[in-house]
Amino acid sequence: MSLIPITVYGDEILTKKVKPVRAISDQEIKQIKDMFETMHFAKGIGLAANQVGLQKAIFVVDVSQVEGYEKIKPIVFINPKIVLHSEELVFMEEGCLSLPDIRLEVERPEIIKIKYLDTDENEQELEADDLLARVILHEYDHLLGKMITDRADRNQIKKIKKDLVRIKLRDIEVDYPITERQK
Ligand code: ZN
């Protein structure tokens, strides 16, 4: 297994839609293991493939370190699709490994239902609410090329403008590997 540098705000790949996975081969299995390792190292609770430079419809989630969620095992979502979501929207503060040290209030559905493939290519369905729904929707957004900076309101973005520039310039301190600045 190996750690993969995480793409950060300004990296083009984060603004692009990923492609569906056609078959889950040994390569994908290894990449998924690396994604988990990278996410755990960075102390994240979710990580999308394009955050480690892969244009594939895969994300991983592990909320088992969060109080109240200890029983939820790590989950890999391959070719996910949100099939249902509640009308009620709730605000919650979110962070993102691609936006070091930034927190933004984002409004999203409270409850969701998602369909996806597991690593054996079996179709799975999961209903989630609260924090788990939140993480899933956040990672799902990544696969669409969207980040919390696309979701938060303008006033919040105004306040972090300078921080965003600093991230682009790599004028930040991060205790996990990130990509080099793009030319
Ligand atoms: Zn993120």
Side-chain angles (χ1 to χ4, degrees):
M1 290 205 286
S2 39
L3 291 180
I4 312 172
I6 294 178
T7 53
V8 297
Y9 182 86
D11 289 4
E12 209 188 338
I13 192 167
L14 288 172
T15 64
K16 287 185 175 167
K17 231 176 135 172
V18 299
K19 295 185 179 72
V21 178
R22 289 187 177 198
I24 301 151
S25 68
D26 289 350
Q27 189 189 33
E28 278 76 26
I29 299 296
K30 186 188 180 298
Q31 287 167 340
I32 288 163
K33 281 184 184 159
D34 290 344
M35 285 173 70
F36 270 116
E37 197 193 357
T38 303
M39 176 181 74
H40 287 140
F41 183 86
K43 297 188 171 67
I45 54 175
L47 188 73
N50 45 352
Q51 289 183 281
V52 288
L54 303 169
Q55 279 185 305
K56 294 182 179 184
I58 303 174
F59 65 80
V60 297
V61 168
D62 184 0
V63 289
S64 64
Q65 298 298 309
V66 182
E67 209 188 321
Y69 290 86
E70 294 87 351
K71 283 187 183 152
I72 305 208
K73 294 204 174 79
I75 318 170
V76 187
F77 296 84
I78 301 164
N79 295 346
K81 193 163 178 26
I82 303 285
V83 289
L84 221 73
H85 61 80
S86 62
E87 293 298 315
E88 307 95 271
L89 302 174
V90 279
F91 274 102
M92 211 185 265
E93 201 184 61
E94 295 182 27
C96 180
L97 294 176
S98 298
L99 289 161
D101 293 328
I102 284 177
R103 313 280 305 171
L104 291 169
E105 288 277 341
V106 183
E107 194 176 29
R108 300 189 194 268
E110 195 173 14
I111 308 164
I112 56 138
K113 193 191 261 186
I114 186 168
K115 281 189 177 175
Y116 59 98
L117 295 179
D118 62 22
T119 49
D120 295 318
E121 298 187 28
N122 292 319
E123 209 172 274
Q124 300 288 344
E125 200 177 281
L126 176 75
E127 204 179 293
D129 65 359
D130 206 15
L131 178 77
L132 186 57
R134 182 57 54 150
V135 182
I136 289 170
L137 289 169
H138 176 117
E139 302 312 328
Y140 191 76
D141 255 2
H142 273 301
L143 302 185
L144 302 174
K146 277 196 176 7
M147 291 176 62
I148 52 174
T149 41
D150 301 305
R151 294 273 181 206
D153 62 65
R154 275 189 197 174
N155 283 337
Q156 291 189 79
I157 300 300
K158 250 190 209 164
K159 286 181 197 155
I160 59 156
K161 269 251 150 72
K162 281 181 185 162
D163 301 312
L164 292 177
V165 173
R166 239 177 262 140
I167 292 173
K168 274 191 188 177
L169 298 174
R170 304 298 189 269
D171 182 17
I172 45 168
E173 268 182 48
V174 202
D175 44 20
Y176 48 87
I178 58 170
T179 53
E180 302 268 320
R181 186 182 163 188
Q182 291 184 339
K183 295 277 146 59

